[in-house]
PDB file of all heavy atoms in Angstrom:
ATOM      1  N   ARG A 475      24.266  19.781   0.495  1.00 59.00           N
ATOM      2  CA  ARG A 475      25.040  20.953   0.051  1.00 59.00           C
ATOM      3  C   ARG A 475      24.777  21.281  -1.422  1.00 59.00           C
ATOM      4  O   ARG A 475      25.186  22.303  -1.915  1.00 59.00           O
ATOM      5  CB  ARG A 475      26.538  20.690   0.257  1.00 59.00           C
ATOM      6  CG  ARG A 475      26.948  20.677   1.721  1.00 59.00           C
ATOM      7  CD  ARG A 475      28.370  20.201   1.900  1.00 59.00           C
ATOM      8  NE  ARG A 475      28.518  18.801   1.503  1.00 59.00           N
ATOM      9  CZ  ARG A 475      29.665  18.124   1.613  1.00 59.00           C
ATOM     10  NH1 ARG A 475      30.736  18.716   2.093  1.00 59.00           N
ATOM     11  NH2 ARG A 475      29.728  16.858   1.241  1.00 59.00           N
ATOM     12  N   HIS A 476      24.049  20.364  -2.116  1.00 55.00           N
ATOM     13  CA  HIS A 476      23.767  20.597  -3.534  1.00 55.00           C
ATOM     14  C   HIS A 476      22.283  20.898  -3.719  1.00 55.00           C
ATOM     15  O   HIS A 476      21.464  19.996  -3.663  1.00 55.00           O
ATOM     16  CB  HIS A 476      24.144  19.372  -4.364  1.00 55.00           C
ATOM     17  CG  HIS A 476      25.594  19.026  -4.280  1.00 55.00           C
ATOM     18  ND1 HIS A 476      26.593  19.952  -4.406  1.00 55.00           N
ATOM     19  CD2 HIS A 476      26.201  17.828  -4.061  1.00 55.00           C
ATOM     20  CE1 HIS A 476      27.769  19.348  -4.294  1.00 55.00           C
ATOM     21  NE2 HIS A 476      27.555  18.060  -4.067  1.00 55.00           N
ATOM     22  N   PRO A 477      21.892  22.149  -3.942  1.00 52.00           N
ATOM     23  CA  PRO A 477      20.476  22.483  -4.114  1.00 52.00           C
ATOM     24  C   PRO A 477      19.905  21.901  -5.394  1.00 52.00           C
ATOM     25  O   PRO A 477      20.619  21.669  -6.365  1.00 52.00           O
ATOM     26  CB  PRO A 477      20.477  24.023  -4.160  1.00 52.00           C
ATOM     27  CG  PRO A 477      21.851  24.386  -4.613  1.00 52.00           C
ATOM     28  CD  PRO A 477      22.776  23.340  -4.072  1.00 52.00           C
ATOM     29  N   ALA A 478      18.575  21.646  -5.377  1.00 46.00           N
ATOM     30  CA  ALA A 478      17.912  21.068  -6.545  1.00 46.00           C
ATOM     31  C   ALA A 478      17.913  22.025  -7.728  1.00 46.00           C
ATOM     32  O   ALA A 478      17.941  21.605  -8.873  1.00 46.00           O
ATOM     33  CB  ALA A 478      16.472  20.699  -6.192  1.00 46.00           C
ATOM     34  N   GLU A 479      17.862  23.319  -7.432  1.00 49.00           N
ATOM     35  CA  GLU A 479      17.850  24.303  -8.510  1.00 49.00           C
ATOM     36  C   GLU A 479      19.159  25.072  -8.464  1.00 49.00           C
ATOM     37  O   GLU A 479      19.207  26.249  -8.170  1.00 49.00           O
ATOM     38  CB  GLU A 479      16.652  25.242  -8.351  1.00 49.00           C
ATOM     39  CG  GLU A 479      15.330  24.530  -8.471  1.00 49.00           C
ATOM     40  CD  GLU A 479      14.299  25.039  -7.498  1.00 49.00           C
ATOM     41  OE1 GLU A 479      14.474  26.137  -6.971  1.00 49.00           O
ATOM     42  OE2 GLU A 479      13.308  24.313  -7.269  1.00 49.00           O
ATOM     43  N   GLY A 480      20.242  24.366  -8.701  1.00 49.00           N
ATOM     44  CA  GLY A 480      21.548  24.979  -8.519  1.00 49.00           C
ATOM     45  C   GLY A 480      22.223  25.323  -9.818  1.00 49.00           C
ATOM     46  O   GLY A 480      21.636  25.365 -10.884  1.00 49.00           O
ATOM     47  N   THR A 481      23.515  25.559  -9.727  1.00 50.00           N
ATOM     48  CA  THR A 481      24.294  25.897 -10.906  1.00 50.00           C
ATOM     49  C   THR A 481      24.604  24.637 -11.696  1.00 50.00           C
ATOM     50  O   THR A 481      24.384  23.515 -11.235  1.00 50.00           O
ATOM     51  CB  THR A 481      25.615  26.554 -10.475  1.00 50.00           C
ATOM     52  OG1 THR A 481      26.371  25.568  -9.734  1.00 50.00           O
ATOM     53  CG2 THR A 481      25.367  27.762  -9.585  1.00 50.00           C
ATOM     54  N   SER A 482      25.131  24.833 -12.865  1.00 54.00           N
ATOM     55  CA  SER A 482      25.477  23.696 -13.716  1.00 54.00           C
ATOM     56  C   SER A 482      26.505  22.801 -13.033  1.00 54.00           C
ATOM     57  O   SER A 482      26.420  21.581 -13.090  1.00 54.00           O
ATOM     58  CB  SER A 482      26.037  24.224 -15.038  1.00 54.00           C
ATOM     59  OG  SER A 482      26.444  23.163 -15.848  1.00 54.00           O
ATOM     60  N   ALA A 483      27.452  23.413 -12.330  1.00 52.00           N
ATOM     61  CA  ALA A 483      28.520  22.636 -11.679  1.00 52.00           C
ATOM     62  C   ALA A 483      27.977  21.737 -10.575  1.00 52.00           C
ATOM     63  O   ALA A 483      28.316  20.555 -10.496  1.00 52.00           O
ATOM     64  CB  ALA A 483      29.576  23.585 -11.111  1.00 52.00           C
ATOM     65  N   THR A 484      27.108  22.296  -9.712  1.00 54.00           N
ATOM     66  CA  THR A 484      26.573  21.481  -8.614  1.00 54.00           C
ATOM     67  C   THR A 484      25.670  20.378  -9.150  1.00 54.00           C
ATOM     68  O   THR A 484      25.678  19.254  -8.659  1.00 54.00           O
ATOM     69  CB  THR A 484      25.788  22.339  -7.600  1.00 54.00           C
ATOM     70  OG1 THR A 484      24.743  23.034  -8.271  1.00 54.00           O
ATOM     71  CG2 THR A 484      26.676  23.329  -6.890  1.00 54.00           C
ATOM     72  N   ASN A 485      24.897  20.687 -10.188  1.00 65.00           N
ATOM     73  CA  ASN A 485      24.032  19.671 -10.789  1.00 65.00           C
ATOM     74  C   ASN A 485      24.853  18.526 -11.371  1.00 65.00           C
ATOM     75  O   ASN A 485      24.471  17.357 -11.259  1.00 65.00           O
ATOM     76  CB  ASN A 485      23.159  20.284 -11.893  1.00 65.00           C
ATOM     77  CG  ASN A 485      21.903  20.939 -11.314  1.00 65.00           C
ATOM     78  OD1 ASN A 485      21.420  20.522 -10.282  1.00 65.00           O
ATOM     79  ND2 ASN A 485      21.407  21.950 -11.991  1.00 65.00           N
ATOM     80  N   GLU A 486      25.978  18.850 -12.004  1.00 76.00           N
ATOM     81  CA  GLU A 486      26.825  17.809 -12.593  1.00 76.00           C
ATOM     82  C   GLU A 486      27.394  16.905 -11.494  1.00 76.00           C
ATOM     83  O   GLU A 486      27.531  15.704 -11.681  1.00 76.00           O
ATOM     84  CB  GLU A 486      27.962  18.445 -13.400  1.00 76.00           C
ATOM     85  CG  GLU A 486      27.528  19.119 -14.682  1.00 76.00           C
ATOM     86  CD  GLU A 486      26.776  18.165 -15.609  1.00 76.00           C
ATOM     87  OE1 GLU A 486      27.200  17.004 -15.757  1.00 76.00           O
ATOM     88  OE2 GLU A 486      25.739  18.578 -16.175  1.00 76.00           O
ATOM     89  N   THR A 487      27.707  17.487 -10.342  1.00 80.00           N
ATOM     90  CA  THR A 487      28.238  16.701  -9.225  1.00 80.00           C
ATOM     91  C   THR A 487      27.200  15.706  -8.729  1.00 80.00           C
ATOM     92  O   THR A 487      27.490  14.525  -8.525  1.00 80.00           O
ATOM     93  CB  THR A 487      28.660  17.625  -8.058  1.00 80.00           C
ATOM     94  OG1 THR A 487      29.568  18.601  -8.551  1.00 80.00           O
ATOM     95  CG2 THR A 487      29.328  16.831  -6.955  1.00 80.00           C
ATOM     96  N   VAL A 488      25.960  16.189  -8.535  1.00 83.00           N
ATOM     97  CA  VAL A 488      24.890  15.312  -8.061  1.00 83.00           C
ATOM     98  C   VAL A 488      24.589  14.247  -9.111  1.00 83.00           C
ATOM     99  O   VAL A 488      24.357  13.079  -8.781  1.00 83.00           O
ATOM    100  CB  VAL A 488      23.611  16.112  -7.752  1.00 83.00           C
ATOM    101  CG1 VAL A 488      22.531  15.191  -7.209  1.00 83.00           C
ATOM    102  CG2 VAL A 488      23.898  17.202  -6.723  1.00 83.00           C
ATOM    103  N   LEU A 489      24.603  14.625 -10.378  1.00 88.00           N
ATOM    104  CA  LEU A 489      24.333  13.674 -11.454  1.00 88.00           C
ATOM    105  C   LEU A 489      25.370  12.553 -11.461  1.00 88.00           C
ATOM    106  O   LEU A 489      25.024  11.377 -11.637  1.00 88.00           O
ATOM    107  CB  LEU A 489      24.328  14.396 -12.805  1.00 88.00           C
ATOM    108  CG  LEU A 489      24.100  13.513 -14.038  1.00 88.00           C
ATOM    109  CD1 LEU A 489      22.780  12.761 -13.932  1.00 88.00           C
ATOM    110  CD2 LEU A 489      24.137  14.359 -15.306  1.00 88.00           C
ATOM    111  N   LYS A 490      26.632  12.911 -11.244  1.00 88.00           N
ATOM    112  CA  LYS A 490      27.686  11.884 -11.216  1.00 88.00           C
ATOM    113  C   LYS A 490      27.426  10.888 -10.085  1.00 88.00           C
ATOM    114  O   LYS A 490      27.575   9.672 -10.263  1.00 88.00           O
ATOM    115  CB  LYS A 490      29.053  12.538 -11.037  1.00 88.00           C
ATOM    116  CG  LYS A 490      30.206  11.523 -11.083  1.00 88.00           C
ATOM    117  CD  LYS A 490      31.564  12.185 -10.915  1.00 88.00           C
ATOM    118  CE  LYS A 490      32.678  11.170 -11.050  1.00 88.00           C
ATOM    119  NZ  LYS A 490      32.551  10.021 -10.144  1.00 88.00           N
ATOM    120  N   VAL A 491      26.996  11.410  -8.923  1.00 87.00           N
ATOM    121  CA  VAL A 491      26.685  10.530  -7.788  1.00 87.00           C
ATOM    122  C   VAL A 491      25.544   9.582  -8.162  1.00 87.00           C
ATOM    123  O   VAL A 491      25.588   8.375  -7.870  1.00 87.00           O
ATOM    124  CB  VAL A 491      26.308  11.367  -6.540  1.00 87.00           C
ATOM    125  CG1 VAL A 491      25.799  10.466  -5.411  1.00 87.00           C
ATOM    126  CG2 VAL A 491      27.509  12.177  -6.060  1.00 87.00           C
ATOM    127  N   ALA A 492      24.512  10.121  -8.824  1.00 89.00           N
ATOM    128  CA  ALA A 492      23.362   9.305  -9.221  1.00 89.00           C
ATOM    129  C   ALA A 492      23.762   8.238 -10.238  1.00 89.00           C
ATOM    130  O   ALA A 492      23.338   7.082 -10.145  1.00 89.00           O
ATOM    131  CB  ALA A 492      22.259  10.193  -9.783  1.00 89.00           C
ATOM    132  N   LEU A 493      24.589   8.631 -11.210  1.00 91.00           N
ATOM    133  CA  LEU A 493      25.045   7.670 -12.226  1.00 91.00           C
ATOM    134  C   LEU A 493      25.896   6.573 -11.594  1.00 91.00           C
ATOM    135  O   LEU A 493      25.756   5.388 -11.930  1.00 91.00           O
ATOM    136  CB  LEU A 493      25.831   8.390 -13.324  1.00 91.00           C
ATOM    137  CG  LEU A 493      25.012   9.307 -14.245  1.00 91.00           C
ATOM    138  CD1 LEU A 493      25.931  10.123 -15.144  1.00 91.00           C
ATOM    139  CD2 LEU A 493      24.032   8.498 -15.088  1.00 91.00           C
ATOM    140  N   ASP A 494      26.769   6.964 -10.678  1.00 89.00           N
ATOM    141  CA  ASP A 494      27.604   5.970  -9.976  1.00 89.00           C
ATOM    142  C   ASP A 494      26.742   4.996  -9.184  1.00 89.00           C
ATOM    143  O   ASP A 494      27.005   3.794  -9.152  1.00 89.00           O
ATOM    144  CB  ASP A 494      28.599   6.666  -9.042  1.00 89.00           C
ATOM    145  CG  ASP A 494      29.711   7.376  -9.814  1.00 89.00           C
ATOM    146  OD1 ASP A 494      29.880   7.068 -11.013  1.00 89.00           O
ATOM    147  OD2 ASP A 494      30.399   8.237  -9.218  1.00 89.00           O
ATOM    148  N   HIS A 495      25.690   5.539  -8.547  1.00 88.00           N
ATOM    149  CA  HIS A 495      24.767   4.692  -7.789  1.00 88.00           C
ATOM    150  C   HIS A 495      24.082   3.698  -8.734  1.00 88.00           C
ATOM    151  O   HIS A 495      23.972   2.497  -8.423  1.00 88.00           O
ATOM    152  CB  HIS A 495      23.720   5.556  -7.083  1.00 88.00           C
ATOM    153  CG  HIS A 495      22.644   4.778  -6.382  1.00 88.00           C
ATOM    154  ND1 HIS A 495      22.890   3.976  -5.290  1.00 88.00           N
ATOM    155  CD2 HIS A 495      21.304   4.652  -6.637  1.00 88.00           C
ATOM    156  CE1 HIS A 495      21.766   3.407  -4.891  1.00 88.00           C
ATOM    157  NE2 HIS A 495      20.788   3.798  -5.698  1.00 88.00           N
ATOM    158  N   GLY A 496      23.637   4.193  -9.897  1.00 90.00           N
ATOM    159  CA  GLY A 496      22.993   3.325 -10.880  1.00 90.00           C
ATOM    160  C   GLY A 496      23.919   2.223 -11.369  1.00 90.00           C
ATOM    161  O   GLY A 496      23.499   1.078 -11.547  1.00 90.00           O
ATOM    162  N   ARG A 497      25.198   2.572 -11.571  1.00 90.00           N
ATOM    163  CA  ARG A 497      26.172   1.559 -11.994  1.00 90.00           C
ATOM    164  C   ARG A 497      26.395   0.525 -10.894  1.00 90.00           C
ATOM    165  O   ARG A 497      26.455  -0.674 -11.158  1.00 90.00           O
ATOM    166  CB  ARG A 497      27.502   2.240 -12.340  1.00 90.00           C
ATOM    167  CG  ARG A 497      27.492   3.019 -13.650  1.00 90.00           C
ATOM    168  CD  ARG A 497      28.900   3.435 -14.036  1.00 90.00           C
ATOM    169  NE  ARG A 497      28.929   4.211 -15.259  1.00 90.00           N
ATOM    170  CZ  ARG A 497      28.960   5.530 -15.307  1.00 90.00           C
ATOM    171  NH1 ARG A 497      28.946   6.241 -14.185  1.00 90.00           N
ATOM    172  NH2 ARG A 497      28.987   6.167 -16.465  1.00 90.00           N
ATOM    173  N   ASN A 498      26.509   1.014  -9.667  1.00 88.00           N
ATOM    174  CA  ASN A 498      26.793   0.114  -8.536  1.00 88.00           C
ATOM    175  C   ASN A 498      25.687  -0.923  -8.339  1.00 88.00           C
ATOM    176  O   ASN A 498      25.966  -2.064  -7.948  1.00 88.00           O
ATOM    177  CB  ASN A 498      26.978   0.915  -7.244  1.00 88.00           C
ATOM    178  CG  ASN A 498      28.270   1.716  -7.258  1.00 88.00           C
ATOM    179  OD1 ASN A 498      29.198   1.392  -8.004  1.00 88.00           O
ATOM    180  ND2 ASN A 498      28.334   2.776  -6.454  1.00 88.00           N
ATOM    181  N   ILE A 499      24.432  -0.509  -8.575  1.00 86.00           N
ATOM    182  CA  ILE A 499      23.336  -1.454  -8.345  1.00 86.00           C
ATOM    183  C   ILE A 499      22.970  -2.224  -9.618  1.00 86.00           C
ATOM    184  O   ILE A 499      22.078  -3.069  -9.604  1.00 86.00           O
ATOM    185  CB  ILE A 499      22.085  -0.738  -7.786  1.00 86.00           C
ATOM    186  CG1 ILE A 499      21.532   0.285  -8.779  1.00 86.00           C
ATOM    187  CG2 ILE A 499      22.384  -0.101  -6.438  1.00 86.00           C
ATOM    188  CD1 ILE A 499      20.267   0.984  -8.312  1.00 86.00           C
ATOM    189  N   GLY A 500      23.686  -1.914 -10.714  1.00 85.00           N
ATOM    190  CA  GLY A 500      23.538  -2.729 -11.914  1.00 85.00           C
ATOM    191  C   GLY A 500      22.437  -2.326 -12.867  1.00 85.00           C
ATOM    192  O   GLY A 500      22.114  -3.087 -13.789  1.00 85.00           O
ATOM    193  N   VAL A 501      21.838  -1.137 -12.709  1.00 89.00           N
ATOM    194  CA  VAL A 501      20.776  -0.726 -13.644  1.00 89.00           C
ATOM    195  C   VAL A 501      21.313   0.173 -14.753  1.00 89.00           C
ATOM    196  O   VAL A 501      20.606   0.474 -15.716  1.00 89.00           O
ATOM    197  CB  VAL A 501      19.609  -0.010 -12.914  1.00 89.00           C
ATOM    198  CG1 VAL A 501      18.937  -0.960 -11.947  1.00 89.00           C
ATOM    199  CG2 VAL A 501      20.072   1.253 -12.210  1.00 89.00           C
ATOM    200  N   ILE A 502      22.579   0.616 -14.626  1.00 91.00           N
ATOM    201  CA  ILE A 502      23.222   1.423 -15.665  1.00 91.00           C
ATOM    202  C   ILE A 502      24.554   0.769 -16.016  1.00 91.00           C
ATOM    203  O   ILE A 502      25.310   0.378 -15.123  1.00 91.00           O
ATOM    204  CB  ILE A 502      23.482   2.871 -15.183  1.00 91.00           C
ATOM    205  CG1 ILE A 502      22.169   3.562 -14.801  1.00 91.00           C
ATOM    206  CG2 ILE A 502      24.201   3.678 -16.258  1.00 91.00           C
ATOM    207  CD1 ILE A 502      22.362   4.952 -14.207  1.00 91.00           C
ATOM    208  N   LYS A 503      24.837   0.657 -17.324  1.00 89.00           N
ATOM    209  CA  LYS A 503      26.129   0.134 -17.759  1.00 89.00           C
ATOM    210  C   LYS A 503      26.688   1.005 -18.885  1.00 89.00           C
ATOM    211  O   LYS A 503      26.013   1.931 -19.363  1.00 89.00           O
ATOM    212  CB  LYS A 503      26.056  -1.332 -18.197  1.00 89.00           C
ATOM    213  CG  LYS A 503      24.748  -1.866 -18.610  1.00 89.00           C
ATOM    214  CD  LYS A 503      24.780  -3.315 -19.008  1.00 89.00           C
ATOM    215  CE  LYS A 503      24.036  -3.515 -20.303  1.00 89.00           C
ATOM    216  NZ  LYS A 503      22.676  -2.979 -20.215  1.00 89.00           N
ATOM    217  N   SER A 504      27.902   0.718 -19.273  1.00 88.00           N
ATOM    218  CA  SER A 504      28.565   1.513 -20.312  1.00 88.00           C
ATOM    219  C   SER A 504      27.740   1.522 -21.589  1.00 88.00           C
ATOM    220  O   SER A 504      27.111   0.517 -21.947  1.00 88.00           O
ATOM    221  CB  SER A 504      29.946   0.922 -20.614  1.00 88.00           C
ATOM    222  OG  SER A 504      30.756   0.969 -19.454  1.00 88.00           O
TER     223      SER A 504
END
Side-chain angles (χ1 to χ4, degrees):
R475 289 171 295 183
H476 299 313
E479 297 141 18
T481 64
S482 177
T484 57
N485 276 331
E486 290 303 318
T487 306
V488 182
L489 178 58
K490 183 180 183 305
V491 172
L493 290 171
D494 288 344
H495 175 66
R497 287 191 182 97
N498 290 338
I499 63 178
V501 297
I502 300 175
K503 22 181 227 306
S504 298

